[in-house]
Structure formats: structure tokens, C-alpha cells
Amino acid sequence: MLKKIEAIIREDKVGDVRDALTEIGIVGLNLFEVRGHGRQGGIQLVGRAGTYQVNMLPKIQLNIILSDRNLEEAIEAILRSAHTGEPGDGMIFVYPVEEVIRIRTRERGQDAVMYPGDIDEKKGRSKAKAPA
Ligand SMILES: Nc1ncnc2c1ncn2[C@@H]1O[C@H](COP(=O)(O)OP(=O)(O)OP(=O)(O)O)[C@@H](O)[C@H]1O
Ligand SMILES: [Mg+2]
């Protein structure tokens, strides 16, 4: 089973989170810049012209497609590295993934989300046959 982690994190935590994921052997990922709000609905900022409300705050959305056997470890690494304890630390969403295909090799599913030196290799789980 493949899963997708969507982690909405603070912009200044991207480096730490990426390092924590690399450390456990999560290799493939992407990110984009998003704007949104959670339960506080934004924040009040104090400027020269007085206070004003910013409703949609910038965050980074990290996307990781991975085997579900690596899911909890990846979540734990994100929780560890993205946490400050202050409001706005973000959210983690997990989805089931239908299919993944590596275009170059036509590998599908779990094979398509395996990489040299990744979490599976670290654990001695390698695939039967590595395509050239
Ligand atoms: N239900 C949701 N659907 C989609 N995106 C969400 C949702 N809730 C939060 N987000 C995204 O997560 C970001 C971070 O949310 P935030 O950390 O402020 O969560 P929170 O629920 O308000 O918790 P906290 O009280 O710790 O701030 C938001 O800016 C938004 O981008
Ligand atoms: Mg919030």
C-alpha cells in the first residue's frame, strides 16, 4: 500500500524537516508554497498604520509518496523536526495513493518509490531485481 503525506509546515522549518527525513532515509519528496489558516483564522499584525489582520498565512506543503511500512517513521520525523509548541506549527494529512509510475523505467507501485540508500535499503529490504 502506498500513502501520501501532505505536511503543512512553517517556512523556516523546511531545512530541519528535510534533514530529519533524509536522516531516516526518505529520499523522494517535493514541496510547494501554500497559504491558509487553521483554527486561529490568521494573525493580527501591528504596523505603522495600526493593527491589521492577515488571514492567509504562508506555509510550506511537503509532499511525500511512500510505502505505508515507512509511514509512521516519516510522520514521527516530521513531528520531531517541525514542532515548536507555538500555534501555527502546521498539520499532517495522510492519503491513500492509487498508483505511482517512474517514467524512465516504467516501475510501478512500491518499486517506483524505492531509491538507492533509502529507508528500505537501510533496513535490508531491497527489491528482487533492480532495472538498469
Ligand atoms: N482543515 C484544513 N484543511 C486544509 N489545510 C489546513 C487545514 N487546517 C490547517 N490547514 C493548513 O495548515 C496550516 C497550519 O495550521 P495551524 O498550524 O495554524 O493549525 P491549527 O489547527 O490552527 O493549530 P494551532 O492551534 O497549533 O495553530 C494552515 O495555515 C493551513 O495552510
Ligand atoms: Mg493555527
Side-chain angles (χ1 to χ4, degrees):
M1 268 292 276
L2 296 172
K3 300 281 189 187
K4 176 183 181 184
I5 296 176
E6 257 182 41
I8 316 288
I9 60 172
R10 294 180 189 277
E11 292 177 304
D12 61 3
K13 284 289 186 182
V14 172
D16 289 349
V17 173
R18 197 256 174 187
D19 288 349
L21 290 166
T22 301
E23 177 68 31
I24 64 163
I26 298 295
V27 176
L29 51 80
N30 67 29
L31 63 78
F32 41 76
E33 292 168 25
V34 295
R35 282 174 188 279
H37 62 71
R39 49 157 68 110
Q40 290 83 11
I43 52 168
Q44 288 255 325
L45 289 180
V46 184
R48 271 174 302 189
T51 64
Y52 57 102
Q53 177 75 16
V54 181
N55 293 323
M56 302 294 261
L57 291 165
K59 298 279 177 193
I60 296 296
Q61 179 179 319
L62 258 186
N63 303 296
I64 310 163
I65 313 299
L66 75 181
S67 175
D68 63 356
R69 66 188 176 194
N70 300 322
L71 180 66
E72 283 306 322
E73 240 178 296
I75 289 173
E76 193 49 51
I78 296 167
L79 289 173
R80 254 194 333 263
S81 54
H83 182 263
T84 71
E86 297 297 317
D89 274 353
M91 301 281 283
I92 300 176
F93 305 120
V94 179
Y95 308 84
V97 170
E98 186 74 23
E99 183 62 293
V100 181
I101 305 161
R102 178 176 282 120
I103 293 174
R104 180 174 63 87
T105 56
R106 295 181 172 247
E107 289 164 290
R108 285 179 178 248
Q110 202 158 279
D111 286 348
V113 289
M114 295 187 92
Y115 309 85
D118 72 2
I119 188 167
D120 292 311
E121 282 198 3
K122 284 185 182 197
K123 297 188 160 181
R125 297 183 301 227
S126 53
K127 37 184 174 164
K129 204 169 60 170

